[in-house]
Amino acid sequence: MPQDGSNNEEQAKWYVAHTYSGYENKVKDTLERAVENRHMQDVIQEIVVPMEERIEIKDGKKKTTLGKVFPGYVLVKMILTEETWYVVRNVRGVTGFVGAGGKPEPLTEEEIRKMGFETAPVEIDFEAGDTVKVISGPLESFVGVVESINMEKAKVKVLVSMFGRETPVELDFGQVQKM
C-alpha cells in the first residue's frame, strides 16, 4: 500500500534494477519473498531476469544453454512509490536503479517491445482452421490453413501447400492475412 497518497489506479511500469553480477536470481527470489511477506503484490507486480537460449558447439556436439540477456540487471514491474523504491533498493545484491541521478526511469514502450518480453495484446482476426494468405517474407502470396496460434510469441503455424505436400511453417502475425 503506497503511503505517499498516490492511488493504485496508476499504471505499473517496468524499471531496471542494477545488481552485482551473478546475483540476478538471488535478487529476484529475495524480492519475490519480500513482496509476498509485505503483501505488496498489487504494487510490485512482476520481477524478471530475462533469459535466452544459446546454442554452443563444443567438441562437435551442439548444446543448448540458458543465458542471461542482461547480466547484472533485474527488471521489476511496479508502481513507483517511496515504499516500493525502498523495498527494491534494500534487497541484498541490488546496487541501484537505472536512471538519471539515481532516480529510477521506467522503460519506454519501445524498449519493452524491443526486448520482446512483454508486448501489448495483439488483436488478430483469424483462428485455427481459417484460410490465410502470406503477405510478406519468402512465402509471400502462398495460401495456407492456420494450424495453431501462439499469442505469447505472436506466431502462427500455417499449413502451406508446397511441392504437392502440406508443410507447416511458423510466421509472425503480421505476415498473414485472413482470406
Side-chain angles (χ1 to χ4, degrees), residues 58-91:
K58 237 184 200 165
D59 303 325
K61 291 187 176 76
K62 197 161 115 176
K63 186 176 144 194
T64 305
T65 59
L66 272 182
K68 293 179 186 82
V69 178
F70 308 111
Y73 296 96
V74 173
L75 304 172
V76 182
K77 186 176 187 178
M78 66 181 188
I79 296 169
L80 186 64
T81 65
E82 286 294 322
E83 188 182 14
T84 58
W85 181 89
Y86 178 85
V87 169
V88 175
R89 181 70 187 83
N90 286 289
V91 168

Side-chain angles (χ1 to χ4, degrees), residues 13-17 75-76 78 80 85 96-108 111-112:
K13 291 185 170 59
W14 284 100
Y15 294 89
V16 181
L75 304 172
V76 182
M78 66 181 188
L80 186 64
W85 181 89
F97 279 98
V98 172
K103 182 184 179 293
E105 285 286 321
L107 293 172
T108 65
E111 289 168 327
I112 292 166

Side-chain angles (χ1 to χ4, degrees), residues 38-149:
R38 294 169 181 244
H39 306 291
M40 297 177 74
Q41 294 90 336
D42 58 334
V43 285
I44 299 179
Q45 299 171 356
E46 220 175 317
I47 301 125
V48 176
V49 177
M51 304 291 274
E52 67 183 357
E53 279 189 0
R54 297 196 175 123
I55 296 169
E56 295 173 3
I57 297 174
K58 237 184 200 165
D59 303 325
K61 291 187 176 76
K62 197 161 115 176
K63 186 176 144 194
T64 305
T65 59
L66 272 182
K68 293 179 186 82
V69 178
F70 308 111
Y73 296 96
V74 173
L75 304 172
V76 182
K77 186 176 187 178
M78 66 181 188
I79 296 169
L80 186 64
T81 65
E82 286 294 322
E83 188 182 14
T84 58
W85 181 89
Y86 178 85
V87 169
V88 175
R89 181 70 187 83
N90 286 289
V91 168
R92 185 185 165 123
V94 172
T95 59
F97 279 98
V98 172
K103 182 184 179 293
E105 285 286 321
L107 293 172
T108 65
E109 284 294 318
E110 189 177 335
E111 289 168 327
I112 292 166
R113 236 188 342 273
K114 280 182 181 170
M115 286 182 204
F117 71 90
E118 185 187 85
T119 52
V122 180
E123 297 290 319
I124 53 172
D125 66 347
F126 51 83
E127 57 188 46
D130 284 352
T131 301
V132 292
K133 181 178 183 178
V134 181
I135 56 171
S136 70
L139 300 175
E140 189 174 338
S141 79
F142 274 78
V143 173
V145 176
V146 175
E147 186 179 55
S148 62
I149 297 170

